[in-house]
Amino acid sequence: MPDIRPYAPESAITTSRKVQIVIYPGFKCMEAVGPVNVFTAANRYLAAASHPARYDVELIAPTPGPVQSESFLTLTAERALADATPEDTVMIAGALDIEEALRGNPQIVDWCRRHATQARRFASLCTGTFFLAEAGLLDGRRATTHWSVAARLQQAYPDVRVEADAIFLREDNLYTSAGVTAAIDLALAFVEQDFGRDLALSVARDMVIYLKRPGGQSQFSAVLTGQAQVRSGIADIRTWIHANLERKLQTGDLAQRAGMSERNFVRQFTRDVGQNPSDYVMNARCERATTLLLETGLPVKTIAHRVGFSSDDQMRKVFNRKFSLTPREYRERFSTAA
């Protein structure tokens, strides 16, 4: 275990922090186990540094005792939901069949409605966002969820401003997160809020995962999204795009390289990849640019040239539109100090 230097948290924390994770029959196991592992690892580092604070993690459920997850694993809830009052941080797990979970657990919705304002941080994980939306807590607010149900969330709750491309979002004391492992990102962000970036980074290293940057980052990787399609011609073009981002990459030139008419190429690319070629190229440029901003000290103008933007001014405009941040602001906000 690496040495841990003294922390400089946003506010000095000397007492334990209560984290209550809400589970119910059919919950996604990873969304409870992931955060538990993060807070448990944080406690080990805190103890090693002789820090007085700890995370006190508690599983709660409508009915206490063994609770079957969506897998064959069962976790034990220590307390009934009706007997629990938020003390600091609440995290509500999602479910594969979230509509069934809503029908079967109306008490969770009511509990959210009555207690959300009492917690310092009240968070939903993945499809757990539906509980907050059903309680009316997200009306007029931004929220995210698993990408596969984002459209359903928006349709069911039109007053919610659904942003499907976020890892997690914060609105006052309410947090919503994307699919499954985003629960780990959110838990790491909570550790960083409480005890600083050094502890969060140490926990991430201990778990052999990346320290995900807080909020505002695309949930979708253009590379991974492209891998989902199966037509070899489009796959080859996608690979070539990522290897040649410094070029102009006009749609007509890509169609010619694929041996198709431009109209047919656009139709097939959009069908297979889920976005048109122009949007895909722009997202790929942004993805590469964010990597270079966070992992190198290259000037913004150099990065803009390397990823194919016509100028750093064009990259700034695209970043403002996509992230509501300039490239420099993005670097300052999300860079992780080793």
Side-chain angles (χ1 to χ4, degrees):
M1 182 179 293
D3 292 335
I4 303 178
R5 66 191 184 194
Y7 304 115
E10 294 178 1
S11 59
I13 296 176
T14 58
T15 58
S16 293
R17 292 292 189 181
K18 188 79 167 183
V19 178
Q20 295 160 303
I21 301 177
V22 180
I23 59 176
Y24 46 88
F27 74 97
K28 290 186 178 181
C29 191
M30 175 67 80
E31 294 169 13
V33 173
V36 167
N37 284 339
V38 169
F39 297 125
T40 300
N43 281 345
R44 290 199 300 269
Y45 282 96
L46 290 168
S50 299
H51 196 287
R54 298 288 186 275
Y55 285 107
D56 179 12
V57 182
E58 178 184 46
L59 298 180
I60 60 179
T63 302
V67 182
Q68 179 79 43
S69 71
E70 96 289 7
S71 68
F72 63 87
L73 295 176
T74 295
L75 299 183
T76 300
E78 305 162 56
R79 192 163 21 155
L81 192 68
D83 298 330
T85 300
E87 298 178 35
D88 186 81
T89 300
V90 172
M91 304 179 84
I92 302 174
L96 283 175
D97 189 344
I98 188 58
E99 285 86 359
E100 176 61 30
L102 282 170
R103 288 191 295 269
N105 299 280
Q107 63 271 58
I108 295 180
V109 175
D110 182 61
W111 190 83
C112 290
R113 187 180 294 117
R114 288 187 292 109
H115 294 296
T117 58
Q118 296 176 293
R120 182 168 66 101
R121 297 179 298 218
F122 202 91
S124 63
L125 309 175
C126 191
T127 56
T129 300
F130 281 73
F131 286 110
L132 272 60
E134 182 68 19
L137 299 172
L138 300 178
D139 289 353
R141 300 175 184 264
R142 297 178 306 144
T144 193
T145 186
H146 194 284
W147 62 268
S148 67
V149 297
R152 283 154 57 189
L153 179 67
Q154 187 66 86
Q155 183 177 18
Y157 307 99
D159 291 334
V160 179
R161 294 158 52 196
V162 179
E163 296 187 11
D165 65 341
I167 290 292
F168 62 82
L169 294 171
R170 176 182 181 179
E171 289 278 347
D172 297 325
N173 75 319
L174 300 178
Y175 294 76
T176 57
S177 75
V180 193
T181 55
I184 296 175
D185 295 69
L186 187 55
L188 284 169
F190 287 168
V191 171
E192 183 176 351
Q193 285 179 5
D194 294 339
F195 299 103
R197 191 171 294 263
D198 289 335
L199 177 58
L201 183 57
S202 294
V203 172
R205 286 172 172 166
D206 187 62
M207 297 177 68
V208 197
I209 57 176
Y210 289 109
L211 176 59
K212 296 297 198 310
R213 283 83 184 181
Q217 298 195 78
S218 177
Q219 179 183 346
F220 305 105
S221 162
V223 177
L224 293 178
T225 303
Q227 289 173 354
Q229 53 76 34
V230 296
R231 299 174 190 271
S232 60
I234 299 299
D236 291 343
I237 290 296
R238 179 190 57 79
T239 300
W240 190 84
I241 287 171
H242 286 277
N244 294 274
L245 286 174
E246 73 282 358
R247 298 173 179 249
K248 287 189 176 180
L249 301 180
Q250 299 291 337
T251 299
D253 296 334
L254 295 175
Q256 185 177 13
R257 187 173 187 86
M260 304 179 189
S261 69
E262 184 170 341
R263 181 178 179 181
N264 186 47
F265 172 73
V266 171
R267 182 170 60 248
Q268 184 167 309
F269 191 101
T270 303
R271 180 181 61 202
D272 290 352
V273 179
Q275 51 190 310
N276 65 50
S278 296
D279 288 345
Y280 185 87
V281 168
M282 189 60 67
N283 288 333
R285 294 194 200 282
C286 285
E287 185 175 353
R288 178 74 61 81
T290 57
T291 299
L292 293 175
L293 284 168
L294 299 180
E295 297 183 2
T296 76
L298 291 171
V300 171
K301 183 174 290 187
T302 300
I303 292 174
H305 175 73
R306 286 197 180 184
V307 303
F309 287 109
S310 60
S311 65
D312 57 333
D313 185 59
Q314 186 202 18
M315 186 168 98
R316 179 180 59 79
K317 291 177 180 177
V318 171
F319 264 59
N320 267 324
R321 186 169 62 249
K322 188 174 179 65
F323 303 113
S324 297
L325 296 168
T326 67
R328 286 183 176 84
E329 289 170 338
Y330 190 99
R331 172 178 268 168
E332 291 170 359
R333 180 177 177 185
F334 298 131
S335 288
T336 300

